[in-house]
């Protein structure tokens, strides 16, 4: 219902009496009381000016229009003075339903104005008070509980028997129905006639139904019967369509007040219903009209009544008509603010304010349980006010439905929660309140009678838990405290604050008090300012539960979903042919090994069937085995619940995936897809968001299958996780199987033990997700998901490609004797190549240059494996580098170059760029090495081969980055040093074998020298290649010897000799490294002998090849001996010819001494390797000092 301000009071009214007056403050007799009234709804007709009756008019005579409907008087006409009409027991609920936004949050009290007035008059009045109080959030609903009416009904229908017995036992043992006096009906009759006279009627009103004539004699029995009847509004269809229920207005819960007013009295906000006629026109824009017997003075109760009515309706003036025995005497105009000061009716507005605040605080402090019906009772003539919890008393009768308030309260709790759910995204602090409302609603309902509300409430409870939030600390998801300053608890009792409040009974009270929740011992206490304070403040139980982890949150969701499913299933008639499901028997999660799975071919068929079925869903085929009618509330609710459970299982699977519990993750995604499967079978049309969610499920399933494939070592643990099932999961599955037993997604969620099958399933999951995005045209609406699926497709195709490539390499390794490439290998190459190609297309379609480069790199590696497979294996001496090898190596180079082009520059992804460069360098190096070592001389000339080797080596050097500091830098330096060494050796070899062209010889000599120098410089940077360094130095010595052989002059020879000896001296660093490693090894052995019991003989702290060292050492000793001897001979002959030169004499002497020591060392065969190294280092040290001293001829 829309909130209309002064509806019907706008056009003809001169004074907008029913327009909202925000915050109007009235000053009354020196006591300031703040009061404002906003008309939320009005069905009153345009205000009519009242007719001032002539003196001596006899009100005992009925006017012509009496008891006929009148547009001017409104509904008050047919109900005899509407403002004194008995209110229905559920009037506050009708208002609450209409203004659901206000309930539970902004408003303190919802009630009929008559009830409000009755409460505020308690300290002044001796009459009895009987009201039902209900709490919804921070709002209290007050309704009159007419004991007489109820007990009359009880004797007819048997309802409320328990309350009647309780009342007779503890309060009034001699209860009898009290009849109204004739005077009472006489006064009502003349008041009614007075009103009809006053509307200035023209007698044109339509005849009214005959039932209204009963007003002359007594109360309308039919009306009270309807009020007491427990007929309730039907529940909502679904939480997703929270429309007002049209049935509610026909079932005794409608809001039939003329006006609904939001009245703020001091700090108390009340939603009040009023039927008081308001007149207007002329000098008086808005007045209330009263009839008084001139012989009876106005008392305080009447004054308070008039004053409160005018305050509530924001009427500034009161017109009083005085009569004597029904004969009109005079009229008097009184301003509202003057009413408290009338003679005989003097009262303090401040006291009324204190009474209001005290009563509200008393009720709020003690009516703490939502869903409970409290009874506020004061016996006639008594000063004691008692509050009983009727729900607790009623439960003793073992049937909560004996309380007719149970259903209206449950419906209202549900409606308030629904309303807050609509705004739940605006403010999460209300989640705790919504949850409490729904839990209290569920406590009141019986599954057999109200399955729809129960299912809907459970679904809403599950919706409160955010499953699709970005990952963050769970403890910050929801507020820990309640949502308002007056939260409440559905579980905790309020403890006594202290005796000073006087709201709790003690042992000295009469025995009947022990049934009361709280007692006001004397009505006089209500007039004491702040005598009662609301002590029921923020309660932690209203807070939303803090879930410590995703699993706990999802389990709560699934628990609510299961309760909802049970409720739906119980309301659907069980078909006779449905198989009986035993909840205690687990439904097996199908497990197959590779022997039964049928492999990738079978998977293709299943995938085709799946996509075919997905297509059929799009065309709208659906069915339910349980007999649910499409479009029914059960059907709609079950779809919602199934989808929610699917999402919860998806989140659980994702969480298990993060924890690397892949068996558990697969089990959960299987359950998610089974839920989705049932949803698909039931659903007439698939919503885009549901299809997107299905894509997410399939994508996650693909991720899990991939991780299972990559972690095959833990397969037993994963299998155990996969087969475990909770009772809750079994029950949800049984509910699903009531609707459908199809297993569309079974192919995706089986735990296979075959690696190839797992990878294939993973790939098919991604392909299925991609297909769904394609045929449902969701690609453009969900670009991020589309990119993620394509990335995963590219990645899994890379994984499968690598798997087949490694298999091919393994087959190749096993193929030792047979030189021919097998068909199996070729098939594996094709599969691998196909996967890489598709993966590259996937990555290129989303402009993922980095991953495309990696797959191109892997394709290059596949080409190298193909090349290796084609190399001849029959004895290395006959072997030549084959054309097939060259072809595949060149293809590999092409793919690596494509990868570099894909990246563009190093900045895009330095690590991948460096990796591709390294692989490219390796390919060129391998080609050059194979051509050099297994030269294809049968097909090519030596010069051409040398040229190709040189070019390949140079390209390898080009892509070998020795300068960039990285983990790969030492490898690059070693590779570059090896290339320079090989090139130097090749040119050295050419020089030895070449005859004739002197220019070419000179060029080769320069190149050999250059590459040797570069090789030495790079090997010197490395600390783990002493043998390689030594070999290069020995080759340089050999190169020097070769040069010396072609020299004729002694000076030239001597210079070359000294150069060669200098090279040997520079090899000292290599020997120092070897000595260091030998010493470390020796120390390790001695330590092992003393401490360790079992040490493997292969355990060596170094990777030193001792055979290699011995071989190189022997050559080194031999060449050093030769060079020293030649230098001694040349120096001796030179000395004889030209006489002594001091420097040369020193060199000669040193060389002789070193030569002598070397001969003695080599002659001793018993020296150890370490000792021989020590000797060489000592000799090299002497030569180095000699060279520094002489400064001659060695440059």
């Amino acid at each position: 219902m829309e909130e209309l301000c002064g509806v019907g009071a706008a056009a003809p009214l001169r004074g907008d009496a029913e327009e909202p007056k925000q915050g109007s403050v009235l000053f009354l007799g020196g006591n300031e009381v703040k009061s404002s009234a906003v008309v939320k709804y009005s069905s009153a007709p345009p205000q009519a000016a009242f007719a001032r009756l002539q003196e001596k008019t006899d009100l005992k005579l009925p006017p012509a229009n009496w008891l006929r409907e009148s547009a001017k008087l409104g509904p008050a006409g047919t109900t005899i003075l509407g403002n004194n009409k008995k209110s229905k027991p559920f009037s506050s609920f009708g208002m609450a339903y209409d203004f659901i936004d206000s309930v539970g949050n902004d408003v303190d009290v919802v009630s009929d104005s008559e009830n409000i007035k009755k409460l505020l008059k308690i300290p002044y009045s001796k009459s009895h008070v009987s009201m039902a109080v209900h709490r919804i959030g921070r709002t209290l609903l007050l309704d009159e509980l007419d004991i007489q009416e109820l007990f009359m009904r009880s004797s007819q229908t048997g309802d409320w028997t328990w309350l009647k017995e309780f009342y007779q036992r503890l309060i009034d043992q001699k209860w009898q129905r009290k009849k109204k006096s004739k005077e009472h009906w006489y006064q009502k009759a003349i008041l009614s006639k007075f009103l009809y006279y006053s509307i200035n009627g023209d007698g044109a009103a339509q005849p009214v139904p005959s039932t209204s004539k009963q007003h002359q004699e007594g109360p309308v029995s039919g009306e009270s019967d309807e009020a007491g009847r427990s007929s309730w509004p039907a529940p909502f269809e679904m939480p997703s369509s929270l429309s007002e229920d049209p049935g509610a207005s026909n079932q005794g819960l409608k809001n039939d007040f003329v006006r609904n007013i939001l009245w703020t009295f001091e700090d108390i906000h009340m939603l009040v219903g009023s039927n008081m006629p308001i007149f207007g026109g002329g000098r008086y824009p808005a007045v209330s009209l009263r009839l008084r017997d001139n012989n009876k003075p106005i008392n305080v109760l009447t004054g308070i009544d008039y004053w409160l009515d005018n305050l509530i309706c924001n009427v500034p003036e009161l017109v009083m008509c005085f009569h004597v025995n029904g004969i009109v005497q005079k009229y008097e105009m009184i301003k509202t603010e003057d009413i408290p000061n009338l003679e005989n009716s003097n009262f303090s507005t401040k006291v009324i304010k204190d009474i209001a605040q005290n009563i509200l605080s008393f009720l709020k402090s003690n009516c703490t349980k939502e869903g409970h019906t409290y009874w506020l009772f004061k016996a006639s003539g008594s000063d004691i006010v008692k509050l009983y919890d009727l729900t607790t008393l009623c439960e003793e009768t073992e049937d909560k439905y004996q309380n007719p308030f149970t259903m209206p309260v449950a419906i209202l709790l549900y409606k308030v929660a629904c309303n807050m759910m609509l705004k739940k995204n605006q403010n999460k602090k209300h989640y705790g309140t919504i949850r409490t409302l729904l839990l209290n609603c569920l406590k009141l309902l019986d599954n057999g009678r109200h399955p729809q509300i129960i299912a809907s409430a459970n679904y809403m409870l599950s919706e409160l838990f955010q499953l699709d939030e970005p990952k963050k600390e769970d403890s910050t998801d929801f507020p820990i405290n309640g949502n308002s300053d007056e939260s409440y608890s559905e579980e905790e009792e309020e403890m006594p604050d202290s005796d000073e409040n006087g709201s709790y009974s003690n042992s000295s009270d009469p025995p009947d008090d022990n049934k009361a929740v709280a007692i006001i011992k004397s009505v006089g206490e209500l007039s004491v300012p702040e005598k009662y304070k609301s002590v029921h403040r923020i309660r932690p139980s209203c807070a939303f539960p803090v879930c410590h982890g995703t699993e706990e949150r999802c389990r709560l969701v699934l628990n609510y979903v299961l309760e909802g499913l049970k409720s739906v299933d119980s309301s659907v008639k069980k078909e006779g042919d449905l198989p009986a499901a035993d909840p205690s028997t687990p439904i097996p999660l199908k497990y197959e090994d590779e022997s039964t799975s049928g492999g990738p071919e079978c998977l293709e068929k299943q995938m085709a069937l799946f996509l075919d079925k997905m297509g059929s869903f799009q065309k709208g085929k659906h069915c339910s085995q349980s007999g649910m009618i499409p479009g029914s509330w059960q059907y709609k609710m079950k779809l919602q619940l199934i989808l929610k459970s699917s999402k919860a299982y998806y989140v659980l699977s994702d969480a298990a995936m993060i924890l690397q519990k892949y068996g558990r993750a697969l089990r959960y995604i299987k359950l998610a897809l089974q839920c989705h499967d049932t949803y698909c079978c039931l659903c007439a049309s698939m919503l885009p968001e549901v299809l997107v969610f299905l894509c997410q499920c399939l994508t996650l399933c693909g991720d899990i299958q991939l991780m299972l494939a990559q972690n095959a070592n833990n397969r037993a643990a994963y299998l155990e996780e996969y087969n475990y099932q909770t009772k809750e999961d079994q029950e949800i599955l049984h509910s699903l199987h009531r609707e459908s037993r199809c297993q569309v997604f079974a192919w995706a969620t089986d735990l296979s033990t075959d690696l190839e099958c797992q990878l294939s399933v993973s790939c098919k999951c991604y392909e299925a997700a991609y297909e769904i995005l394609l045929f449902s045209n969701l690609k453009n609406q969900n670009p991020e998901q589309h990119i993620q699926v394509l990335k995963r497709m590219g990645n899994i195709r890379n994984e499968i490609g690598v798997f087949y490539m490694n298999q091919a390499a393994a087959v190749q390794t096993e193929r030792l004797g047979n030189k021919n490439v097998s068909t199996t290998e070729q098939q594996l190459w094709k599969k691998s190549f196909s996967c890489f190609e598709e993966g590259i297309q996937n990555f290129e379609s989303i402009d993922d240059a980095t991953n495309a480069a990696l797959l191109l790199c892997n394709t290059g590696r596949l080409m190298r494996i193909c090349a290796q497979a084609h190399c001849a294996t029959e004895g290395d001496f006959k072997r030549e580098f084959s054309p097939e090898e060259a072809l595949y190596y060149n293809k590999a180079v092409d793919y690596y170059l494509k990868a570099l082009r894909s990246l563009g520059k190093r900045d895009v992804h330095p690590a991948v760029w460096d990796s591709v460069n390294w692989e490219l360098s390796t390919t060129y190096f391998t080609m050059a090495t194979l051509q050099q070592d297994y030269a294809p001389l049968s097909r090519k000339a030596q010069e051409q081969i040398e040229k190709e080797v040189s070019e390949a080596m140079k390209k390898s050097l080009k892509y070998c980055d020795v300068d960039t500091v990285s983990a790969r830098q030492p490898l690059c330096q070693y590779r570059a040093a090896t290339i320079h060494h090989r090139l130097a050796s090749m040119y050295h070899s050419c020089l030895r074998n070449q005859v004739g062209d002197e220019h070419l010889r000179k060029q080769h000599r320069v190149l050999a020298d250059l590459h040797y120098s570069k090789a030495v410089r790079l090997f010197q940077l490395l600390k783990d290649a002493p043998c390689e360094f030594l070999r290069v130095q020995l080759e340089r010595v050999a190169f020097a010897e070769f040069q010396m052989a072609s020299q004729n002059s002694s000076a030239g020879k001597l210079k070359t000799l000294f150069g060669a000896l200098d090279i040997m001296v520079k090899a000292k660093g290599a020997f120092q490294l070897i000595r260091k490693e030998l010493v470390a090894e020796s120390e390790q052995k001695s330590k092992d002998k003393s401490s360790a019991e079992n040490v493997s003989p292969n355990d060596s702290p170094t990777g030193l090849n001792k055979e290699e060292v011995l071989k190189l050492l022997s050559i080194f000793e031999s060449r050093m001996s030769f060079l020293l001897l030649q230098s001694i001979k040349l120096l001796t002959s030179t000395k004889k010819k030209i006489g002594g030169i001091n420097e040369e004499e020193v060199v000669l002497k040193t060389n002789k001494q070193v030569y002598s020591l070397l001969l003695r060392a080599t002659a001793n065969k018993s020296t150890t390797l370490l000792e021989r190294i020590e000797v060489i280092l000592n000799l090299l040290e002497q030569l180095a000092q000699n060279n520094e001293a002489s400064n001659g001829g060695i440059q």
Side-chain angles (χ1 to χ4, degrees), residues 893-951:
V893 165
D894 288 343
Y895 282 111
Y896 289 130
L897 289 170
K898 274 185 190 173
L900 288 178
R901 284 197 294 275
S902 172
L903 288 169
K905 52 186 179 179
R906 187 173 186 270
D907 297 348
V908 173
H909 200 297
V912 175
W913 177 269
D914 293 345
S915 178
V916 175
N917 270 297
W918 171 254
E919 294 297 334
L920 184 53
S921 170
T922 305
T923 308
Y924 277 126
F925 177 70
T926 308
M927 281 173 70
T929 305
L930 289 170
Q931 274 188 295
Q932 196 174 7
D933 295 349
Y934 307 104
L937 293 166
S938 62
R939 299 194 320 275
K940 294 180 183 176
Q942 178 71 37
E943 290 80 7
Q944 189 186 351
I945 292 168
E946 286 168 3
K947 186 181 176 185
E948 286 178 7
V949 168
S950 177
E951 284 176 1

Side-chain angles (χ1 to χ4, degrees), residues 715-787:
R715 192 169 277 140
Y718 296 145
L719 184 59
E720 191 178 338
E721 290 172 4
Y722 179 71
N723 287 328
Y724 173 78
Q725 242 183 332
T726 66
K727 188 170 186 294
E728 197 174 57
D729 296 338
Q730 289 167 26
E731 289 180 343
I732 288 173
L733 274 175
H734 281 297
S735 181
L736 298 179
H737 289 161
R738 281 173 59 87
E739 309 309 330
S740 155
R741 285 185 172 272
C742 56
Q743 297 278 321
V744 181
F745 303 101
W747 58 270
T749 53
D750 287 333
L751 179 54
S752 173
T753 54
D754 178 54
L755 185 60
E756 182 181 356
C757 184
Q758 284 176 324
L759 290 170
S760 300
V761 168
S762 178
C763 187
K764 294 298 172 193
C765 285
Y766 298 138
E767 286 173 5
Y770 183 66
E771 289 291 329
I772 290 166
L773 286 174
L774 279 188
F775 71 60
S776 55
N777 297 319
L778 292 166
K779 190 172 77 170
N780 297 330
Q781 292 98 305
N782 300 273
E784 185 57 37
Q785 180 133 10
H786 178 239
I787 289 167

